[in-house]
Amino acid sequence: MARQELIAENDALKKENQLLRIKIQILEAKLEAAGLSENKYEDLSLTKAFEAFSFKGRIPYGMKTRSFNCFHRAGYATIGGFKGKTIDDLLNVRNAGIDSCALIVVVLEHYGISVAFPDIRGQAARKVLERIPLLREDCVFLK
Protein backbone atom coordinates (compact mmCIF):
# COMPACT_ATOMS: atom_id res chain seq x y z
CA MET A 1 0.00 0.00 0.00
CA ALA A 2 2.80 2.42 0.78
CA ARG A 3 4.31 1.75 -2.62
CA GLN A 4 1.07 2.74 -4.39
CA GLU A 5 0.87 5.95 -2.34
CA LEU A 6 4.43 6.85 -3.31
CA ILE A 7 3.68 6.17 -6.97
CA ALA A 8 0.53 8.31 -6.79
CA GLU A 9 2.44 11.13 -5.06
CA ASN A 10 5.20 10.89 -7.67
CA ASP A 11 2.65 11.14 -10.51
CA ALA A 12 0.99 14.13 -8.85
CA LEU A 13 4.35 15.89 -8.50
CA LYS A 14 5.17 15.22 -12.17
CA LYS A 15 1.88 16.81 -13.25
CA GLU A 16 2.47 19.78 -10.96
CA ASN A 17 5.98 20.14 -12.38
CA GLN A 18 4.60 20.21 -15.92
CA LEU A 19 2.04 22.87 -14.96
CA LEU A 20 4.72 25.01 -13.33
CA ARG A 21 6.94 24.76 -16.43
CA ILE A 22 4.05 25.91 -18.60
CA LYS A 23 3.37 28.83 -16.23
CA ILE A 24 7.06 29.80 -16.34
CA GLN A 25 7.05 29.76 -20.15
CA ILE A 26 3.92 31.95 -20.21
CA LEU A 27 5.46 34.44 -17.76
CA GLU A 28 8.74 34.56 -19.72
CA ALA A 29 6.79 35.25 -22.91
CA LYS A 30 4.88 38.05 -21.19
CA LEU A 31 8.12 39.57 -19.86
CA GLU A 32 9.70 39.41 -23.29
CA ALA A 33 6.65 40.97 -24.92
CA ALA A 34 6.76 43.79 -22.37
CA GLY A 35 10.49 44.28 -22.96
CA LEU A 36 11.30 43.27 -19.39
CA SER A 37 13.10 39.99 -20.00
CA GLU A 38 16.57 39.49 -18.60
CA ASN A 39 19.46 39.93 -20.96
CA LYS A 40 20.94 36.52 -21.65
CA TYR A 41 24.33 38.08 -22.35
CA GLU A 42 24.84 39.85 -19.01
CA ASP A 43 27.19 37.13 -17.79
CA LEU A 44 29.14 37.04 -21.05
CA SER A 45 32.76 37.83 -20.36
CA LEU A 46 34.24 40.95 -21.88
CA THR A 47 36.92 38.74 -23.45
CA LYS A 48 34.35 36.65 -25.35
CA ALA A 49 32.43 39.74 -26.41
CA PHE A 50 35.56 41.27 -27.93
CA GLU A 51 36.51 37.98 -29.60
CA ALA A 52 33.10 37.86 -31.30
CA PHE A 53 33.68 40.68 -33.78
CA SER A 54 36.17 41.99 -36.28
CA PHE A 55 36.53 45.11 -38.40
CA LYS A 56 35.95 45.60 -42.10
CA GLY A 57 38.42 48.35 -42.69
CA ARG A 58 38.93 51.92 -41.55
CA ILE A 59 39.63 51.19 -37.88
CA PRO A 60 43.10 51.99 -36.49
CA TYR A 61 45.29 48.99 -35.77
CA GLY A 62 45.21 47.99 -32.11
CA MET A 63 42.02 49.87 -31.24
CA LYS A 64 40.17 46.69 -30.27
CA THR A 65 42.95 45.61 -27.93
CA ARG A 66 43.37 49.05 -26.34
CA SER A 67 39.62 49.33 -25.78
CA PHE A 68 39.41 45.90 -24.20
CA ASN A 69 42.44 46.52 -21.96
CA CYS A 70 41.26 49.84 -20.52
CA PHE A 71 37.79 48.56 -19.59
CA HIS A 72 39.06 45.22 -18.34
CA ARG A 73 41.63 46.95 -16.11
CA ALA A 74 38.87 49.20 -14.81
CA GLY A 75 37.08 46.11 -13.48
CA TYR A 76 34.53 45.41 -16.21
CA ALA A 77 34.73 41.62 -16.39
CA THR A 78 31.34 40.96 -17.99
CA ILE A 79 28.97 42.71 -20.35
CA GLY A 80 26.47 43.02 -17.50
CA GLY A 81 28.92 45.23 -15.62
CA PHE A 82 28.09 48.04 -18.03
CA LYS A 83 24.37 47.91 -17.26
CA GLY A 84 23.11 51.29 -16.07
CA LYS A 85 26.30 53.14 -17.01
CA THR A 86 26.33 56.50 -18.73
CA ILE A 87 28.70 57.77 -21.37
CA ASP A 88 30.30 59.96 -18.70
CA ASP A 89 31.06 56.84 -16.63
CA LEU A 90 32.80 55.30 -19.63
CA LEU A 91 34.72 58.45 -20.49
CA ASN A 92 35.99 58.60 -16.90
CA VAL A 93 37.67 55.20 -17.21
CA ARG A 94 41.44 55.60 -17.30
CA ASN A 95 42.83 55.45 -20.87
CA ALA A 96 39.33 55.28 -22.39
CA GLY A 97 39.18 57.77 -25.20
CA ILE A 98 36.47 58.67 -27.67
CA ASP A 99 37.12 55.69 -29.94
CA SER A 100 37.26 53.19 -27.06
CA CYS A 101 33.98 54.47 -25.62
CA ALA A 102 32.30 54.45 -29.02
CA LEU A 103 33.50 50.90 -29.63
CA ILE A 104 32.24 49.60 -26.29
CA VAL A 105 28.86 51.27 -26.93
CA VAL A 106 28.60 49.43 -30.27
CA VAL A 107 29.58 46.11 -28.67
CA LEU A 108 27.08 46.60 -25.83
CA GLU A 109 24.31 47.51 -28.29
CA HIS A 110 24.94 44.24 -30.10
CA TYR A 111 24.32 42.38 -26.85
CA GLY A 112 21.23 44.38 -25.92
CA ILE A 113 22.70 46.71 -23.30
CA SER A 114 22.38 50.43 -23.80
CA VAL A 115 24.55 53.20 -22.44
CA ALA A 116 22.77 56.36 -21.36
CA PHE A 117 23.66 59.72 -22.86
CA PRO A 118 21.92 61.94 -20.27
CA ASP A 119 23.71 65.21 -20.96
CA ILE A 120 25.38 65.84 -24.31
CA ARG A 121 26.91 69.19 -23.38
CA GLY A 122 30.40 67.77 -23.14
CA GLN A 123 32.48 67.83 -26.29
CA ALA A 124 33.81 64.31 -25.71
CA ALA A 125 30.29 62.84 -25.41
CA ARG A 126 29.31 64.53 -28.69
CA LYS A 127 32.37 63.09 -30.41
CA VAL A 128 31.51 59.62 -29.12
CA LEU A 129 28.02 59.99 -30.59
CA GLU A 130 29.51 61.04 -33.94
CA ARG A 131 31.89 58.07 -33.96
CA ILE A 132 29.32 55.36 -33.15
CA PRO A 133 27.69 55.16 -36.64
CA LEU A 134 31.11 54.73 -38.29
CA LEU A 135 32.01 51.89 -35.96
CA ARG A 136 28.62 50.25 -36.48
CA GLU A 137 29.39 50.09 -40.19
CA ASP A 138 32.87 48.64 -39.66
CA CYS A 139 32.10 46.06 -36.94
CA VAL A 140 31.27 42.59 -38.15
CA PHE A 141 29.95 40.33 -35.41
CA LEU A 142 30.95 36.73 -35.96
CA LYS A 143 28.60 35.13 -33.41
Side-chain angles (χ1 to χ4, degrees), residues 14-50:
K14 284 181 180 178
K15 287 179 183 176
E16 189 177 331
N17 185 14
Q18 287 175 333
L19 289 173
L20 288 173
R21 287 177 189 253
I22 292 169
K23 286 181 180 180
I24 289 171
Q25 288 174 345
I26 291 169
L27 287 173
E28 286 175 345
K30 286 181 180 179
L31 283 171
E32 192 168 322
L36 301 173
S37 63
E38 288 187 26
N39 187 320
K40 62 183 177 184
Y41 295 110
E42 283 188 23
D43 293 332
L44 181 70
S45 74
L46 195 59
T47 305
K48 291 204 183 290
F50 268 77

Short mmCIF file of all heavy atoms in Angstrom, two decimals, residues 14-50:
data_model
loop_
_atom_site.label_atom_id
_atom_site.label_comp_id
_atom_site.label_asym_id
_atom_site.label_seq_id
_atom_site.Cartn_x
_atom_site.Cartn_y
_atom_site.Cartn_z
N LYS A 14 4.81 15.08 -10.75
CA LYS A 14 5.17 15.22 -12.17
C LYS A 14 4.19 16.13 -12.89
O LYS A 14 4.59 16.99 -13.67
CB LYS A 14 5.22 13.85 -12.84
CG LYS A 14 6.45 13.04 -12.51
CD LYS A 14 6.44 11.71 -13.25
CE LYS A 14 7.66 10.88 -12.92
NZ LYS A 14 7.63 9.57 -13.61
N LYS A 15 2.90 15.95 -12.62
CA LYS A 15 1.88 16.81 -13.25
C LYS A 15 2.03 18.26 -12.79
O LYS A 15 1.93 19.19 -13.59
CB LYS A 15 0.47 16.29 -12.92
CG LYS A 15 0.11 15.02 -13.65
CD LYS A 15 -1.27 14.54 -13.28
CE LYS A 15 -1.57 13.21 -13.98
NZ LYS A 15 -2.85 12.65 -13.58
N GLU A 16 2.28 18.43 -11.49
CA GLU A 16 2.47 19.78 -10.96
C GLU A 16 3.70 20.44 -11.58
O GLU A 16 3.69 21.61 -11.92
CB GLU A 16 2.62 19.71 -9.44
CG GLU A 16 2.61 21.06 -8.76
CD GLU A 16 2.67 20.94 -7.25
OE1 GLU A 16 2.20 19.94 -6.70
OE2 GLU A 16 3.21 21.88 -6.64
N ASN A 17 4.76 19.65 -11.75
CA ASN A 17 5.98 20.14 -12.38
C ASN A 17 5.70 20.61 -13.80
O ASN A 17 6.16 21.68 -14.23
CB ASN A 17 7.03 19.04 -12.36
CG ASN A 17 8.38 19.50 -12.88
OD1 ASN A 17 8.63 20.68 -13.03
ND2 ASN A 17 9.24 18.55 -13.15
N GLN A 18 4.93 19.82 -14.55
CA GLN A 18 4.60 20.21 -15.92
C GLN A 18 3.80 21.51 -15.94
O GLN A 18 4.05 22.38 -16.78
CB GLN A 18 3.80 19.09 -16.60
CG GLN A 18 4.64 17.88 -16.96
CD GLN A 18 3.80 16.75 -17.53
OE1 GLN A 18 2.62 16.63 -17.24
NE2 GLN A 18 4.44 15.91 -18.34
N LEU A 19 2.85 21.64 -15.03
CA LEU A 19 2.04 22.87 -14.96
C LEU A 19 2.91 24.08 -14.63
O LEU A 19 2.74 25.15 -15.21
CB LEU A 19 0.91 22.72 -13.93
CG LEU A 19 -0.22 21.78 -14.31
CD1 LEU A 19 -1.18 21.60 -13.14
CD2 LEU A 19 -0.97 22.33 -15.52
N LEU A 20 3.83 23.90 -13.69
CA LEU A 20 4.72 25.01 -13.33
C LEU A 20 5.61 25.41 -14.50
O LEU A 20 5.86 26.59 -14.73
CB LEU A 20 5.56 24.64 -12.11
CG LEU A 20 4.80 24.59 -10.78
CD1 LEU A 20 5.70 24.05 -9.67
CD2 LEU A 20 4.26 25.96 -10.41
N ARG A 21 6.11 24.45 -15.25
CA ARG A 21 6.94 24.76 -16.43
C ARG A 21 6.15 25.56 -17.46
O ARG A 21 6.66 26.50 -18.05
CB ARG A 21 7.50 23.49 -17.05
CG ARG A 21 8.60 22.85 -16.24
CD ARG A 21 9.05 21.55 -16.90
NE ARG A 21 9.95 20.84 -16.03
CZ ARG A 21 11.27 20.75 -16.23
NH1 ARG A 21 11.80 21.31 -17.29
NH2 ARG A 21 12.03 20.09 -15.39
N ILE A 22 4.90 25.18 -17.66
CA ILE A 22 4.05 25.91 -18.60
C ILE A 22 3.82 27.33 -18.11
O ILE A 22 3.90 28.29 -18.88
CB ILE A 22 2.71 25.16 -18.81
CG1 ILE A 22 2.97 23.85 -19.57
CG2 ILE A 22 1.71 26.03 -19.55
CD1 ILE A 22 1.78 22.91 -19.61
N LYS A 23 3.56 27.49 -16.80
CA LYS A 23 3.37 28.83 -16.23
C LYS A 23 4.63 29.68 -16.39
O LYS A 23 4.55 30.87 -16.70
CB LYS A 23 2.98 28.73 -14.76
CG LYS A 23 1.56 28.27 -14.53
CD LYS A 23 1.23 28.23 -13.05
CE LYS A 23 -0.19 27.77 -12.83
NZ LYS A 23 -0.55 27.72 -11.40
N ILE A 24 5.79 29.08 -16.18
CA ILE A 24 7.06 29.80 -16.34
C ILE A 24 7.23 30.26 -17.79
O ILE A 24 7.61 31.40 -18.05
CB ILE A 24 8.25 28.92 -15.89
CG1 ILE A 24 8.24 28.78 -14.37
CG2 ILE A 24 9.57 29.50 -16.37
CD1 ILE A 24 9.23 27.76 -13.84
N GLN A 25 6.93 29.39 -18.74
CA GLN A 25 7.05 29.76 -20.15
C GLN A 25 6.10 30.91 -20.50
O GLN A 25 6.47 31.83 -21.23
CB GLN A 25 6.75 28.55 -21.04
CG GLN A 25 7.83 27.51 -21.02
CD GLN A 25 7.45 26.26 -21.80
OE1 GLN A 25 6.29 26.05 -22.14
NE2 GLN A 25 8.44 25.42 -22.09
N ILE A 26 4.89 30.88 -19.96
CA ILE A 26 3.92 31.95 -20.21
C ILE A 26 4.43 33.27 -19.62
O ILE A 26 4.39 34.31 -20.28
CB ILE A 26 2.54 31.58 -19.64
CG1 ILE A 26 1.94 30.42 -20.46
CG2 ILE A 26 1.60 32.78 -19.63
CD1 ILE A 26 0.71 29.80 -19.83
N LEU A 27 4.94 33.22 -18.39
CA LEU A 27 5.46 34.44 -17.76
C LEU A 27 6.67 34.99 -18.51
O LEU A 27 6.81 36.20 -18.68
CB LEU A 27 5.81 34.17 -16.29
CG LEU A 27 4.63 34.02 -15.35
CD1 LEU A 27 5.10 33.58 -13.97
CD2 LEU A 27 3.85 35.31 -15.26
N GLU A 28 7.57 34.11 -18.95
CA GLU A 28 8.74 34.56 -19.72
C GLU A 28 8.31 35.21 -21.02
O GLU A 28 8.89 36.22 -21.44
CB GLU A 28 9.69 33.39 -19.97
CG GLU A 28 10.47 32.97 -18.75
CD GLU A 28 11.32 31.73 -18.99
OE1 GLU A 28 11.13 31.01 -20.00
OE2 GLU A 28 12.20 31.48 -18.14
N ALA A 29 7.30 34.65 -21.67
CA ALA A 29 6.79 35.25 -22.91
C ALA A 29 6.18 36.61 -22.64
O ALA A 29 6.37 37.56 -23.42
CB ALA A 29 5.76 34.32 -23.55
N LYS A 30 5.46 36.75 -21.54
CA LYS A 30 4.88 38.05 -21.19
C LYS A 30 5.97 39.07 -20.89
O LYS A 30 5.88 40.23 -21.31
CB LYS A 30 3.95 37.91 -19.98
CG LYS A 30 2.63 37.25 -20.30
CD LYS A 30 1.76 37.17 -19.05
CE LYS A 30 0.43 36.50 -19.33
NZ LYS A 30 -0.40 36.40 -18.11
N LEU A 31 7.00 38.67 -20.16
CA LEU A 31 8.12 39.57 -19.86
C LEU A 31 8.82 40.02 -21.13
O LEU A 31 9.15 41.19 -21.30
CB LEU A 31 9.12 38.89 -18.93
CG LEU A 31 8.74 38.79 -17.46
CD1 LEU A 31 9.74 37.91 -16.72
CD2 LEU A 31 8.70 40.17 -16.83
N GLU A 32 9.04 39.07 -22.03
CA GLU A 32 9.70 39.41 -23.29
C GLU A 32 8.85 40.35 -24.12
O GLU A 32 9.35 41.31 -24.71
CB GLU A 32 10.02 38.14 -24.08
CG GLU A 32 10.95 38.40 -25.23
CD GLU A 32 11.48 37.12 -25.83
OE1 GLU A 32 11.76 36.18 -25.07
OE2 GLU A 32 11.61 37.08 -27.06
N ALA A 33 7.55 40.11 -24.16
CA ALA A 33 6.65 40.97 -24.92
C ALA A 33 6.61 42.38 -24.33
O ALA A 33 6.47 43.36 -25.06
CB ALA A 33 5.24 40.38 -24.94
N ALA A 34 6.77 42.48 -23.02
CA ALA A 34 6.76 43.79 -22.37
C ALA A 34 8.14 44.44 -22.38
O ALA A 34 8.31 45.55 -21.89
CB ALA A 34 6.25 43.65 -20.94
N GLY A 35 9.13 43.73 -22.92
CA GLY A 35 10.49 44.28 -22.96
C GLY A 35 11.19 44.22 -21.62
O GLY A 35 12.13 44.95 -21.37
N LEU A 36 10.74 43.35 -20.74
CA LEU A 36 11.30 43.27 -19.39
C LEU A 36 12.12 42.01 -19.16
O LEU A 36 12.50 41.73 -18.03
CB LEU A 36 10.17 43.33 -18.35
CG LEU A 36 9.30 44.57 -18.39
CD1 LEU A 36 8.13 44.42 -17.44
CD2 LEU A 36 10.12 45.80 -18.03
N SER A 37 12.37 41.25 -20.19
CA SER A 37 13.10 39.99 -20.00
C SER A 37 14.55 40.28 -19.67
O SER A 37 15.10 41.31 -20.03
CB SER A 37 13.01 39.13 -21.25
OG SER A 37 13.61 39.77 -22.33
N GLU A 38 15.17 39.34 -18.96
CA GLU A 38 16.57 39.49 -18.60
C GLU A 38 17.43 39.33 -19.85
O GLU A 38 17.10 38.59 -20.76
CB GLU A 38 16.97 38.42 -17.58
CG GLU A 38 16.39 38.66 -16.22
CD GLU A 38 16.93 37.68 -15.21
OE1 GLU A 38 18.04 37.16 -15.40
OE2 GLU A 38 16.23 37.43 -14.23
N ASN A 39 18.54 40.04 -19.85
CA ASN A 39 19.46 39.93 -20.96
C ASN A 39 20.29 38.67 -20.80
O ASN A 39 20.98 38.50 -19.80
CB ASN A 39 20.37 41.17 -20.99
CG ASN A 39 21.23 41.22 -22.21
OD1 ASN A 39 21.75 40.20 -22.65
ND2 ASN A 39 21.41 42.38 -22.76
N LYS A 40 20.22 37.78 -21.77
CA LYS A 40 20.94 36.52 -21.65
C LYS A 40 22.45 36.68 -21.79
O LYS A 40 23.19 35.75 -21.54
CB LYS A 40 20.42 35.52 -22.68
CG LYS A 40 20.61 35.94 -24.12
CD LYS A 40 20.01 34.92 -25.05
CE LYS A 40 20.12 35.39 -26.49
NZ LYS A 40 19.47 34.47 -27.40
N TYR A 41 22.90 37.86 -22.16
CA TYR A 41 24.33 38.08 -22.35
C TYR A 41 25.00 38.78 -21.17
O TYR A 41 26.19 39.05 -21.22
CB TYR A 41 24.59 38.92 -23.61
CG TYR A 41 24.19 38.22 -24.88
CD1 TYR A 41 23.11 38.65 -25.62
CD2 TYR A 41 24.90 37.13 -25.34
CE1 TYR A 41 22.75 38.01 -26.80
CE2 TYR A 41 24.54 36.48 -26.50
CZ TYR A 41 23.47 36.93 -27.22
OH TYR A 41 23.12 36.29 -28.37
N GLU A 42 24.25 39.09 -20.12
CA GLU A 42 24.84 39.85 -19.01
C GLU A 42 26.05 39.17 -18.39
O GLU A 42 26.94 39.83 -17.91
CB GLU A 42 23.79 40.14 -17.94
CG GLU A 42 22.87 41.25 -18.34
CD GLU A 42 21.95 41.66 -17.22
OE1 GLU A 42 22.27 41.42 -16.04
OE2 GLU A 42 20.91 42.25 -17.53
N ASP A 43 26.06 37.85 -18.39
CA ASP A 43 27.19 37.13 -17.79
C ASP A 43 28.28 36.81 -18.80
O ASP A 43 29.27 36.17 -18.45
CB ASP A 43 26.69 35.82 -17.16
CG ASP A 43 25.81 36.09 -15.95
OD1 ASP A 43 25.99 37.14 -15.31
OD2 ASP A 43 24.93 35.27 -15.67
N LEU A 44 28.12 37.26 -20.02
CA LEU A 44 29.14 37.04 -21.05
C LEU A 44 30.39 37.82 -20.69
O LEU A 44 30.33 39.01 -20.37
CB LEU A 44 28.62 37.50 -22.42
CG LEU A 44 29.56 37.31 -23.60
CD1 LEU A 44 29.71 35.83 -23.92
CD2 LEU A 44 29.05 38.07 -24.80
N SER A 45 31.52 37.14 -20.72
CA SER A 45 32.76 37.83 -20.36
C SER A 45 33.13 38.86 -21.41
O SER A 45 32.80 38.72 -22.59
CB SER A 45 33.91 36.83 -20.19
OG SER A 45 34.34 36.36 -21.45
N LEU A 46 33.80 39.89 -20.97
CA LEU A 46 34.24 40.95 -21.88
C LEU A 46 35.19 40.36 -22.93
O LEU A 46 35.16 40.75 -24.09
CB LEU A 46 34.93 42.06 -21.08
CG LEU A 46 35.14 43.38 -21.77
CD1 LEU A 46 33.81 43.97 -22.23
CD2 LEU A 46 35.85 44.35 -20.85
N THR A 47 35.98 39.39 -22.52
CA THR A 47 36.92 38.74 -23.45
C THR A 47 36.16 38.10 -24.61
O THR A 47 36.49 38.31 -25.78
CB THR A 47 37.73 37.66 -22.72
OG1 THR A 47 38.36 38.24 -21.59
CG2 THR A 47 38.75 37.03 -23.62
N LYS A 48 35.13 37.32 -24.29
CA LYS A 48 34.35 36.65 -25.35
C LYS A 48 33.61 37.64 -26.23
O LYS A 48 33.49 37.45 -27.42
CB LYS A 48 33.39 35.65 -24.73
CG LYS A 48 34.08 34.46 -24.10
CD LYS A 48 33.16 33.28 -24.05
CE LYS A 48 33.80 32.11 -23.37
NZ LYS A 48 34.86 31.49 -24.08
N ALA A 49 33.13 38.73 -25.63
CA ALA A 49 32.43 39.74 -26.41
C ALA A 49 33.37 40.39 -27.42
O ALA A 49 32.98 40.64 -28.56
CB ALA A 49 31.85 40.81 -25.48
N PHE A 50 34.61 40.65 -27.03
CA PHE A 50 35.56 41.27 -27.93
C PHE A 50 36.10 40.28 -28.96
O PHE A 50 36.53 40.67 -30.04
CB PHE A 50 36.70 41.92 -27.15
CG PHE A 50 36.43 43.37 -26.83
CD1 PHE A 50 35.56 43.72 -25.81
CD2 PHE A 50 37.04 44.38 -27.55
CE1 PHE A 50 35.30 45.03 -25.52
CE2 PHE A 50 36.79 45.70 -27.27
CZ PHE A 50 35.92 46.04 -26.25
#
